[in-house]
Amino acid sequence: MKITGVELRRIAMPLVSPFRTSFGTETARDVLLVRVVTPESEGWGECVAMSEPLYSPEYADGAADVLRRFLIPALPEHVDARLVGAALEHVKGHQMAKAALEAAVLDASLRASGESFGRFLGAERDRVPCGVSVGIMDSIPRLLDTVEGYLAEGYVRIKLKIEPGRDLAPVRAVRERFGDDVLLQVDANAAYTLADAPRLARLDEFGLLLIEQPLADDDLVQHAALARRLATPICLDESITSAAQAAAAITLGSCSIINIKPGRVGGYLESRRIHDLCRAHGVAVWCGGMLETGIGRAANVALAALPGFTLPGDTSASGRYFATDVTEPFELSDGHLEVPRGPGLGVEPLPEVLAEVTTATEWIPR
Ligand code: NPQ
Ligand code: MG
């Protein structure tokens, strides 16, 4: 497939409500979109880097820079979507930028051949069960109202964001109000240290599905030590940046569950490799979320339909984050989202919405 050029497009998407995590509060999503143009088709990829490097070292301006200066120029004139990863391998890091470019090339290629993302990746389901990630709240009554609303919408699993001092009480309150049958998990976004092990062990009594990324990104050894002290399974997010890191974490016993985010690991093909590795080792995986628009969401839902994704993901409906999505909105039905069936991502940006939210575009000819 020959690439004519690549468009980098920035869009600003207001969030329906502020989203607070242990690393900060977001009120809008600043997204970098990648559009690959070929003579036969075009394809879209969504870069999940935040505007600031708070979740991971990447940030949107940095991703745009590395795409423009190093990644887009490194694509061969005739590119096979399966070989994009290899063509970009000499550039270290920048997984989110690489993932967005690979996704856009894949989408263009699949739209040209008429195959869906799900079919290409090996999806075995036509819909996926969905969880929702609930931000840190100033008050427990507000948290309980929010959780009640999501349960009423049909979400099949609740994830509470936690930080030191805002952990035991919110979990206890949700359990007391909604009972032991609700699938419940927590995400610390690396906010604790091993010295907090006694406090984290007090979460054991609440029967959580998992605790996500309690310790720092680079603390695989300490996560293994923590795992030996907790009954609650440890799930890694930020620490898993590649299939090699996933293999190391499994070997060390750092986690028994992995959150796969295609942006964080460098793409959907690396995501599938992690899925295959985890499946072979009996490690459950689920699909994380980075407040994607419908473009990234479509691909995530396709990935989450692979057979090893045995836990509900953060693949929430569009309305969880945005009043107006850039694609037709993904809507929950009986707690599930349907896997798109059309060619490529199976969804398109709506031109009027896209125009309204666009803050900048840049055309990079090949
Ligand atoms: C996580 N996502 O699993 C992330 C973190 C996260 C759904 O909890 C703007 C862009 C704000 C990306 C806030 C969920 C974000 C963001 C949190 C990602 O750790
Ligand atoms: Mg997380």
Side-chain angles (χ1 to χ4, degrees):
M1 190 176 65
K2 188 173 157 57
I3 293 177
T4 318
V6 180
E7 181 188 77
L8 301 181
R9 179 182 288 256
R10 287 290 275 278
I11 64 173
M13 303 279 291
L15 296 177
V16 291
S17 56
F19 188 41
R20 174 165 164 207
T21 67
S22 63
F23 58 76
T25 304
E26 302 295 313
T27 55
R29 188 75 175 94
D30 165 28
V31 187
L32 170 64
L33 297 177
V34 177
R35 181 170 66 101
V36 162
V37 178
T38 81
E40 301 82 33
S41 61
E42 59 177 43
W44 290 89
E46 176 167 347
C47 180
V48 299
M50 301 175 63
S51 36
E52 297 171 283
L54 304 180
Y55 162 84
S56 81
E58 291 188 80
Y59 60 102
D61 284 339
D65 192 60
V66 78
L67 278 159
R68 167 194 310 125
R69 293 175 58 194
F70 301 108
L71 301 179
I72 293 165
L75 290 178
E77 194 184 340
H78 291 273
V79 60
D80 174 340
R82 286 178 190 75
L83 303 180
V84 170
L88 306 181
E89 208 179 357
H90 63 286
V91 175
K92 296 207 174 188
H94 299 285
Q95 290 90 340
M96 292 174 178
K98 291 175 178 177
L101 183 56
E102 184 198 67
V105 173
L106 252 178
D107 184 36
S109 154
L110 292 171
R111 283 185 205 266
S113 68
E115 191 178 25
S116 72
F117 238 75
R119 192 183 169 87
F120 170 79
L121 290 173
E124 292 188 358
R125 283 170 286 187
D126 53 19
R127 55 178 213 154
V128 300
C130 299
V132 61
S133 178
V134 184
I136 296 169
M137 310 253 162
D138 337 309
S139 86
I140 299 245
R142 270 202 61 208
L143 172 68
L144 294 177
D145 285 351
T146 304
V147 170
E148 181 174 43
Y150 289 140
L151 290 172
E153 283 183 57
Y155 285 106
V156 304
R157 184 228 70 194
I158 300 292
K159 157 167 142 182
L160 302 181
K161 291 294 202 175
I162 59 167
E163 65 185 2
R166 283 195 176 80
D167 38 25
L168 299 168
V171 170
R172 181 179 297 115
V174 168
R175 271 289 180 243
E176 279 174 2
R177 168 80 174 272
F178 302 104
D180 292 338
D181 291 344
V182 171
L183 299 183
L184 185 64
Q185 63 194 52
V186 293
D187 185 357
N189 288 111
Y192 295 84
T193 72
L194 199 50
D196 297 310
R199 185 174 179 91
L200 294 173
R202 292 174 62 196
L203 287 170
D204 283 347
E205 67 173 288
F206 299 110
L208 301 177
L209 282 172
L210 58 89
I211 176 169
E212 183 176 343
Q213 197 71 38
L215 310 180
D217 303 18
D218 55 3
D219 270 357
L220 281 190
V221 171
Q222 297 198 60
H223 275 107
L226 181 63
R228 290 190 288 272
R229 295 172 62 174
L230 301 186
T232 308
I234 291 181
C235 170
L236 289 178
D237 172 357
E238 286 90 328
S239 292
I240 308 299
T241 52
S242 64
Q245 286 300 305
I250 293 168
T251 301
L252 284 168
S254 311
C255 64
S256 49
I257 300 171
I258 288 179
N259 165 341
I260 299 183
K261 287 178 182 166
R264 197 193 63 231
V265 304
Y268 287 87
L269 295 174
E270 188 74 357
S271 295
R272 186 169 62 183
R273 287 190 277 275
I274 296 175
H275 161 273
D276 295 349
L277 171 84
C278 288
R279 208 162 175 228
H281 285 84
V283 168
V285 304
W286 53 281
C287 184
M290 289 292 285
L291 285 57
E292 288 88 350
T293 73
I295 294 169
R297 198 161 297 281
N300 286 353
V301 168
L303 178 70
L306 267 64
F309 284 77
T310 53
L311 290 167
D314 283 342
T315 48
S316 305
S318 299
R320 158 67 185 87
Y321 296 111
F322 310 115
T324 309
D325 206 337
V326 297
T327 63
E328 286 298 325
F330 281 80
E331 282 168 352
L332 222 52
S333 159
D334 185 28
H336 290 66
L337 290 185
E338 255 185 66
V339 179
R341 297 156 198 269
L345 294 173
V347 298
E348 264 90 27
L350 303 166
E352 327 78 64
V353 181
L354 194 62
E356 205 157 297
V357 296
T358 295
T359 55
T361 60
E362 175 182 356
W363 176 251
I364 299 162
R366 279 276 2 212

